[in-house]
Amino acid sequence: MQFDFSTTQRIIFGWGALDKLPSIISKFGTRAFLIYSKSVPAVTKIENIFNELQIKWHAFTAYGEPTDKVINQVTAEARDYNCDFVVSIGGGSVIDTGKAVSALLTNEGDLLDYLEVVGKGMPIKNLPKPYIAIPATAGTGSEVTRNAVIKITNKKVKVSMRNPWLLPSVALVDPQLTVSVPPKITASTGMDAFTQVIEPYVSRFSNQLVDLYCKEGIEKAAKSLLKAYEYGDNQEARTNMAWVSLLGGLSLANAKLGAVHGFAGPIGGMFKAPHGTICASLLPSVIEVNVRALREREPQNQKVARFEEIAKIITQDSHAKIRDGIEWIKKLKDKLHIPQLLEFNIHKRDFSEIISKSKRSSSMKGNPITLTDGELWEILEMAL
Amino acid sequence: MQFDFSTTQRIIFGWGALDKLPSIISKFGTRAFLIYSKSVPAVTKIENIFNELQIKWHAFTAYGEPTDKVINQVTAEARDYNCDFVVSIGGGSVIDTGKAVSALLTNEGDLLDYLEVVGKGMPIKNLPKPYIAIPATAGTGSEVTRNAVIKITNKKVKVSMRNPWLLPSVALVDPQLTVSVPPKITASTGMDAFTQVIEPYVSRFSNQLVDLYCKEGIEKAAKSLLKAYEYGDNQEARTNMAWVSLLGGLSLANAKLGAVHGFAGPIGGMFKAPHGTICASLLPSVIEVNVRALREREPQNQKVARFEEIAKIITQDSHAKIRDGIEWIKKLKDKLHIPQLLEFNIHKRDFSEIISKSKRSSSMKGNPITLTDGELWEILEMAL
């Protein structure tokens, strides 16, 4: 039993938890910088809270995934405004934007100075400005992870700014905010969350603390994802999925992920497919090929037993085999009407590039076994 | 499902984890203040690490529980030394001393200015100096809690300095350090840890995140406490008990405790009985009286089912009743040769004072039901 676990110092969770924002921010200062998705109705509520507390604020509306250009632009605005703290509300992209901006407010220079691979990879020297992350989707768990994924426009690649200090000061998770999320987004973000409690459980870096989160998350996702999709205002289902998303963030940040996310990063950089849709398409074939590879090359590896345990949990059948689990996931994907990858113009001719990029990704390092190029190709072929 | 969860931002756990100290402290500076228990052999290893890294250091040897006088004395030494960070190694008392000192290094004035009840209760204004807490017993979980318990010498009372900022910067938990703990201390600290995963599970403030920790901790404590006592060098048992202690700290800091700890604070302030011994003596009768009170006055309260669940987990018998669980705990206490409270000169004539003090304690607020004075008396009587 060994682990090195980091997380957001304070996590506030619950239906209606947004009401606790005033007591949280009152100690952080009088000038706020707000980053939000246009699609989130609750932003008005936050602005009202600022007004009531006589907090001055400047807002930035975020669209889509953050690019290096966007981050530099928001940072310039936030620096000009000289804010005391940052608040963001939205999906994983908006949460990640807030991480990068709060860090760049106290660390001078350009985003690229601090980026892995494409930049100078300089360490962050100063503690970021206080940052309150308010997720409005149940998917990425990014409110409790220590990296911000940023798309580098001129390189068609996604890279991470990564540092324990990027963990938000407070994660405020209010499942009620996800009621307005449309079914299609509920399905794809939900499959991301589901994958993020499965992959760390079978990861090379799994540990006993993360195991607790994963087992709980797998059970709750299996129970509630379809219900949240079909009945968007069901409080229990929405609460469970926000909980799964949070557990996924806690897990992936401390035990990494696997081949599903190893692939999903590069594919998302190359094609306009939603992240969760990519995950949903890859998950069954990744499990199948991983299990086969483990049985062939590492028959003593205890992760095979974990795949079987997952099958039993999700099917609620104590006699279920791994095959039954894979079929269960495929059926769930169909019921959620998640489109095939082919619909996003991903073709066999792209496989070589995808494979070569995915092998360098941080997530791939968590996969329970090192897969051959042939196995990686097979996964993509099965997932199309 | 509602919770507000805070913890130490980084937790490093594992057999031999002390070897990771160099990489942890290298970023914190070049002048260390070390607080340690004389009884911990590994302190030499830490001093060697400081020397190798050319870190200058000043050490303070702690004895027994911290008093206000001791804290002020250590703080004066640490302020004079102008250290960059604090490291402590020892039991809960030493860890707590480190919390208070690291906070007083960046917040001027006297300890009393910041204490609840007996002092001015001023809030801490500045972030404490970086603080690495290294527990050398498996009991309090104090490396992940946000309060420091301090004995006020001239008032025969224990009070808390309490603030989320008191959470250590890093909790470094190396179960190997507990191998040198003698059986008697293993027994009493272990019963404290065991109680600290039971009480938050039935607490009024229990929540779904803490539930995960408690269930895991209860199972592991039941499996390993006696083995750690009988075979002090058993790696699995020692690892499990350090894990239980950590889970207990995470749990109590976020869901409070109950009547066992509500009593244990005042009794520990009035008599020279080890904290874990007091907990062990009270636990069976607290469960018995709590369950009876719940059945009588709040038959719908779902905490009764949890007491039954605990009985099933610890006895490993799916048909066990609460009564079986209580008997199991009593037998464990006997096998651990934990003395009766009577041996510490606690008598019926002291009950009124104990009860009156315990009703004001923070832990008592977590008890699943408000107990009458008669019930509190009964618990003490049964526990003597």
Side-chain angles (χ1 to χ4, degrees):
Chain A
M1 202 194 306
Q2 290 273 352
F3 59 81
D4 186 342
F5 183 83
S6 297
T7 195
T8 300
Q9 215 175 25
R10 188 173 176 201
I11 304 168
I12 301 168
F13 182 98
W15 195 264
L18 187 60
D19 292 340
K20 295 184 181 155
L21 187 62
S23 70
I24 299 165
I25 56 178
S26 59
K27 66 169 183 183
F28 285 140
T30 57
R31 292 176 76 84
F33 192 82
L34 175 65
I35 306 167
Y36 69 97
S37 307
K38 193 95 186 176
S39 56
V40 179
V43 70
T44 322
K45 192 162 178 180
I46 294 178
E47 292 173 345
N48 290 339
I49 289 171
F50 286 162
N51 289 337
E52 274 165 35
L53 294 177
Q54 297 189 299
I55 285 171
K56 291 190 170 55
W57 49 277
H58 179 84
F60 180 90
T61 320
Y63 297 94
E65 291 175 300
T67 62
D68 47 343
K69 282 183 189 164
V70 167
I71 299 286
N72 281 326
Q73 185 197 335
V74 197
T75 302
E77 283 187 30
R79 282 175 177 165
D80 276 354
Y81 190 66
N82 194 21
C83 61
D84 298 320
F85 62 99
V86 177
V87 175
S88 76
I89 181 164
S93 304
V94 174
I95 306 292
D96 278 4
T97 304
K99 288 179 193 168
V101 171
S102 60
L104 290 169
L105 276 167
T106 55
N107 291 277
E108 55 184 23
D110 187 89
L111 171 69
L112 272 173
D113 296 338
Y114 300 96
L115 285 182
E116 296 170 352
V117 189
V118 296
K120 293 183 195 162
M122 275 164 46
I124 295 168
K125 279 190 189 151
N126 304 308
L127 213 58
K129 286 272 181 187
Y131 169 40
I132 299 105
I134 311 175
T137 59
T140 63
S142 151
E143 66 276 12
V144 290
T145 67
R146 63 191 97 160
N147 65 313
V149 182
I150 294 149
K151 207 164 181 167
I152 307 302
T153 322
N154 63 5
K155 299 202 173 166
K156 278 200 178 180
V157 69
K158 286 182 183 178
V159 294
S160 269
M161 185 173 182
R162 196 183 301 272
N163 192 295
W165 281 353
L166 288 192
L167 284 162
S169 320
V170 180
L172 179 58
V173 185
D174 182 350
Q176 195 171 16
L177 301 178
T178 65
V179 167
S180 61
V181 175
K184 204 170 152 184
I185 312 285
T186 300
S188 63
T189 51
M191 282 304 298
D192 182 24
F194 193 14
T195 308
Q196 289 185 166
V197 286
I198 291 176
E199 293 207 289
Y201 192 53
V202 292
S203 155
R204 236 182 258 253
F205 303 100
S206 71
N207 69 59
Q208 200 131 352
L209 185 52
V210 162
D211 290 350
L212 299 178
Y213 303 142
C214 291
K215 277 190 277 190
E216 168 76 4
I218 291 166
E219 188 197 318
K220 290 295 189 299
K223 185 183 169 196
S224 294
L225 175 49
L226 186 60
K227 190 173 265 179
Y229 172 74
E230 290 176 342
Y231 309 96
D233 56 358
N234 182 293
Q235 181 171 340
E236 191 197 357
R238 289 295 196 182
T239 300
N240 278 346
M241 287 313 299
W243 173 229
V244 173
S245 172
L246 176 69
L247 292 168
L250 291 171
S251 302
L252 78 92
N254 294 287
K256 292 195 187 279
L257 290 155
V260 176
H261 279 84
F263 275 132
I267 295 177
M270 293 163 65
F271 303 91
K272 279 193 184 305
H275 176 72
T277 300
I278 303 172
C279 291
S281 301
L282 292 164
L283 184 57
S285 52
V286 165
I287 296 179
E288 187 166 336
V289 174
N290 265 333
V291 170
R292 203 187 57 211
L294 285 165
R295 282 182 174 149
E296 280 172 12
R297 298 199 291 280
E298 299 181 16
Q300 305 305 317
N301 193 314
Q302 300 188 338
K303 293 293 150 62
V304 176
R306 292 205 165 192
F307 280 109
E308 200 161 299
E309 194 188 343
I310 293 169
K312 294 188 203 309
I313 297 174
I314 61 180
T315 60
Q316 290 186 286
D317 171 1
S318 60
H319 300 289
K321 301 282 171 212
I322 294 173
R323 166 60 43 211
D324 304 315
I326 293 173
E327 289 309 314
W328 190 95
I329 294 170
K330 283 183 182 168
K331 274 188 198 140
L332 173 66
K333 180 177 165 276
D334 291 345
K335 290 179 196 160
L336 295 171
H337 301 102
I338 289 180
Q340 292 298 109
L341 285 188
L342 263 177
E343 293 187 23
F344 300 97
N345 274 316
I346 303 174
H347 296 287
K348 280 198 189 175
R349 61 174 177 270
D350 308 305
F351 284 8
S352 293
E353 188 181 346
I354 294 172
I355 288 171
S356 127
K357 283 181 175 170
S358 72
K359 283 164 72 179
R360 292 194 299 269
S361 79
S362 159
S363 294
M364 194 61 94
K365 296 186 179 68
N367 202 58
I369 184 167
T370 305
L371 297 171
T372 64
D373 283 16
E375 285 164 341
L376 292 170
W377 184 283
E378 201 184 340
I379 289 170
L380 291 173
E381 207 163 23
M382 288 161 75
L384 266 198
Chain B
M1 201 194 307
Q2 292 272 353
F3 59 80
D4 186 341
F5 183 84
S6 298
T7 195
T8 300
Q9 215 175 25
R10 188 172 177 201
I11 304 168
I12 301 168
F13 182 98
W15 195 264
L18 187 60
D19 292 340
K20 294 182 183 157
L21 187 63
S23 69
I24 299 164
I25 55 177
S26 58
K27 67 170 182 183
F28 285 140
T30 55
R31 290 176 76 84
F33 191 82
L34 175 65
I35 306 167
Y36 69 97
S37 307
K38 194 94 186 174
S39 56
V40 179
V43 70
T44 321
K45 193 163 179 180
I46 295 178
E47 293 174 344
N48 289 340
I49 290 171
F50 286 162
N51 289 338
E52 274 165 36
L53 295 177
Q54 296 189 299
I55 285 172
K56 289 190 171 55
W57 50 278
H58 179 84
F60 180 90
T61 319
Y63 297 94
E65 291 175 302
T67 62
D68 47 344
K69 282 183 189 164
V70 168
I71 300 287
N72 281 326
Q73 184 198 334
V74 198
T75 302
E77 283 187 29
R79 281 175 178 165
D80 275 355
Y81 191 65
N82 193 22
C83 61
D84 298 319
F85 62 99
V86 177
V87 175
S88 76
I89 181 164
S93 305
V94 173
I95 306 293
D96 278 5
T97 304
K99 288 179 192 168
V101 171
S102 61
L104 290 169
L105 277 168
T106 55
N107 292 275
E108 54 184 24
D110 186 90
L111 172 69
L112 272 172
D113 296 338
Y114 301 97
L115 286 182
E116 296 170 352
V117 190
V118 295
K120 295 183 193 161
M122 276 164 45
I124 295 167
K125 279 189 188 151
N126 304 309
L127 211 59
K129 285 274 180 184
Y131 170 39
I132 299 105
I134 310 174
T137 60
T140 63
S142 156
E143 65 276 11
V144 290
T145 67
R146 64 191 96 161
N147 65 314
V149 182
I150 294 149
K151 207 165 182 167
I152 307 302
T153 322
N154 63 6
K155 299 201 171 163
K156 277 200 178 182
V157 69
K158 286 183 184 178
V159 295
S160 268
M161 185 174 182
R162 197 182 300 273
N163 191 294
W165 281 353
L166 288 193
L167 284 162
S169 319
V170 179
L172 179 59
V173 186
D174 182 349
Q176 197 172 14
L177 301 179
T178 65
V179 167
S180 61
V181 175
K184 204 171 153 183
I185 312 285
T186 300
S188 62
T189 51
M191 281 305 297
D192 181 25
F194 193 14
T195 308
Q196 288 185 167
V197 287
I198 292 176
E199 293 207 290
Y201 192 54
V202 293
S203 156
R204 238 181 255 254
F205 303 99
S206 72
N207 69 58
Q208 200 131 353
L209 185 51
V210 163
D211 290 350
L212 300 178
Y213 303 141
C214 291
K215 276 189 278 190
E216 168 77 4
I218 292 166
E219 188 196 319
K220 289 296 190 296
K223 184 181 169 197
S224 295
L225 174 48
L226 186 60
K227 191 174 266 179
Y229 172 75
E230 290 177 341
Y231 309 96
D233 55 358
N234 183 291
Q235 181 170 341
E236 190 196 0
R238 288 296 196 182
T239 301
N240 278 346
M241 287 314 298
W243 172 229
V244 173
S245 173
L246 176 69
L247 293 168
L250 292 170
S251 302
L252 78 94
N254 293 288
K256 291 196 187 280
L257 290 156
V260 176
H261 278 83
F263 275 131
I267 295 177
M270 292 163 65
F271 303 92
K272 282 195 182 304
H275 176 72
T277 301
I278 304 171
C279 291
S281 300
L282 291 164
L283 183 57
S285 53
V286 164
I287 295 179
E288 185 166 338
V289 173
N290 265 333
V291 169
R292 202 188 58 211
L294 284 164
R295 283 184 174 146
E296 279 172 12
R297 298 199 291 281
E298 300 180 16
Q300 305 304 317
N301 193 314
Q302 299 187 339
K303 293 291 151 65
V304 177
R306 292 205 166 191
F307 280 109
E308 201 162 299
E309 194 188 343
I310 292 169
K312 294 188 203 310
I313 296 174
I314 61 179
T315 59
Q316 291 185 285
D317 171 1
S318 60
H319 301 290
K321 301 284 171 212
I322 294 173
R323 166 59 44 209
D324 304 316
I326 293 173
E327 290 308 314
W328 190 95
I329 294 169
K330 283 183 183 170
K331 273 188 200 141
L332 173 65
K333 180 176 165 279
D334 290 345
K335 288 180 197 158
L336 294 171
H337 301 101
I338 290 180
Q340 292 299 109
L341 285 187
L342 263 177
E343 295 188 22
F344 300 97
N345 275 316
I346 305 175
H347 296 287
K348 279 196 189 175
R349 59 175 179 271
D350 308 306
F351 284 9
S352 294
E353 187 182 345
I354 295 172
I355 289 172
S356 128
K357 283 181 175 169
S358 72
K359 283 164 73 179
R360 294 195 299 270
S361 79
S362 160
S363 294
M364 194 61 95
K365 296 188 178 71
N367 202 57
I369 185 167
T370 306
L371 298 171
T372 64
D373 283 15
E375 285 163 342
L376 293 170
W377 185 283
E378 200 184 342
I379 288 170
L380 291 173
E381 208 164 23
M382 289 161 74
L384 266 198

